[in-house]
Amino acid sequence: MRTLKVLIDGLAFPEGPRWHDGKFYFSDMHAHQVLAVDMAGKREVICEVPNRPSGLGWLPDGRMLVVSMTDRKLMRLDRDGLKLLADMSKLAPFDCNDMVADARGNAYVGNFGFDLHKNEAQRVTTLVMVAPDGVARVVADDLMFPNGMVITPDGKTLIVGESFGFRLTAFDIGADGSLANRRVWANLQNRVPDGICLDAENAIWVACPTASEVIRVKQGGEVAERIKVETDAFACMLGGPDGRTLFVATSPTSDPEKCRAMRGGRIETTQVEVPRAGLP
């Protein structure tokens, strides 16, 4: 069993971990900040996001994209600050969450579909694609809480974790960014997938918050490995200089008020054998 070591702690609620251009980035959702941290644990604030940051991505020109959750907007970080790229409020029924951006700059953004923290009844929702020019459209529907996403190295397949569908669902990506040929990539039984990342053997690391673990899943659903966490695991990302550092975003809770009060969020790490692949 691998053990995790703490890279940084004292966070409100870390989400959306990314390795990009030699740096590790993540959203501290309930502290309303996007941060970067180096391998020694030195952190810097990249930007402040008043309506809660979640998924992160990058355009081909290097500018960062940030999901602004509660106002359901996709923001672009320019030299003079955050700018609106797309308003998704008419396409996403409730708070937006995770995202993956492809090599062309198309950003695929999930959303809750219902008010999770007020215990509303679960209902299916949409997946929205935002093109680099800001044009947004629904590219999939009938998804049960679309959350973490990956894109395969050839750019032809998108896989999304449906948190309350307990599965990873794959789509073919069309030339115009549209999604087709929906199929189940892995049935996770009763495990809830949150953030996910892909490795070079086409296996997916999945953060499972209700099980307090991160699992490595093969296509079809076989669990090849599991790593237990002390609290709960909400997202994960492969990175580091050789792509073999597994970063895990952990927290005792996802409740916004408790997160801000407890500051129990951490970024934890361990080394694995198979390096990262694809996006994010």
Side-chain angles (χ1 to χ4, degrees):
M1 178 71 72
R2 298 182 201 276
T3 57
L4 294 164
K5 62 179 183 179
V6 177
L7 179 65
I8 56 171
D9 58 11
L11 303 169
F13 186 73
E15 256 283 15
R18 302 288 185 262
W19 182 264
H20 178 76
D21 201 20
K23 272 189 177 182
F24 179 74
Y25 297 85
F26 67 96
S27 293
D28 194 352
M29 182 185 291
H30 298 318
H32 308 280
Q33 294 179 327
V34 176
L35 296 99
V37 59
D38 65 19
M39 298 302 290
K42 181 182 177 182
R43 68 186 85 179
E44 63 174 310
V45 176
I46 303 300
C47 61
E48 305 271 351
V49 185
N51 291 295
R52 294 185 192 161
S54 183
L56 305 175
W58 283 265
L59 291 168
D61 65 11
R63 287 179 293 178
M64 178 186 278
L65 300 175
V66 183
V67 171
S68 181
M69 295 183 66
T70 58
D71 56 354
R72 291 169 279 168
K73 292 178 179 178
L74 185 60
M75 310 301 290
R76 185 188 65 227
L77 184 58
D78 292 350
R79 289 185 178 181
D80 56 346
L82 285 175
K83 308 293 182 183
L84 175 67
L85 180 62
D87 185 337
M88 299 173 286
S89 59
K90 293 182 179 179
L91 304 175
F94 203 71
D95 291 359
C96 290
N97 53 358
D98 215 340
M99 170 185 74
V100 65
D102 71 12
R104 296 172 290 184
N106 294 321
Y108 296 87
V109 185
N111 68 87
F112 288 27
F114 63 95
D115 192 337
L116 174 69
H117 296 296
K118 289 188 178 177
N119 294 314
E120 281 188 359
Q122 296 179 12
R123 55 182 179 267
V124 295
T125 190
T126 57
L127 186 65
V128 176
M129 191 202 83
V130 179
D133 61 3
V135 174
R137 59 189 172 99
V138 172
V139 288
D141 53 19
D142 293 326
L143 292 164
M144 189 56 78
F145 207 99
N147 210 328
M149 285 172 272
V150 297
I151 294 173
T152 53
D154 61 8
K156 294 181 178 179
T157 304
L158 180 143
I159 303 165
V160 56
E162 292 187 69
S163 292
F164 297 123
F166 310 107
R167 61 183 171 253
L168 303 178
T169 300
F171 296 89
D172 294 341
I173 302 174
D176 62 350
S178 60
L179 301 180
N181 188 25
R182 177 177 178 165
R183 66 249 184 219
V184 175
W185 193 90
N187 186 330
L188 301 179
Q189 307 303 325
N190 61 347
R191 299 181 188 90
V192 174
D194 198 324
I196 64 176
C197 61
L198 183 70
D199 73 22
E201 292 183 352
N202 197 42
I204 293 178
W205 285 98
V206 182
C208 301
T210 59
S212 299
E213 65 182 9
V214 183
I215 58 174
R216 184 172 181 259
V217 180
K218 296 182 179 180
Q219 188 169 0
E222 178 190 344
V223 177
E225 188 174 348
R226 53 172 32 93
I227 304 170
K228 298 299 289 184
V229 303
E230 186 179 334
T231 54
D232 269 334
F234 289 91
C236 54
M237 186 69 224
L238 286 165
D242 62 359
R244 291 179 169 87
T245 300
L246 181 67
F247 297 87
V248 184
T250 67
S251 176
T253 178
S254 62
D255 179 86
E257 306 253 334
K258 291 179 180 177
C259 285
R260 283 189 287 271
M262 294 172 67
R263 288 277 174 169
R266 298 170 174 172
I267 300 295
E268 304 182 48
T269 67
T270 191
Q271 296 302 117
V272 298
E273 288 75 36
V274 184
R276 60 172 300 192
L279 295 167

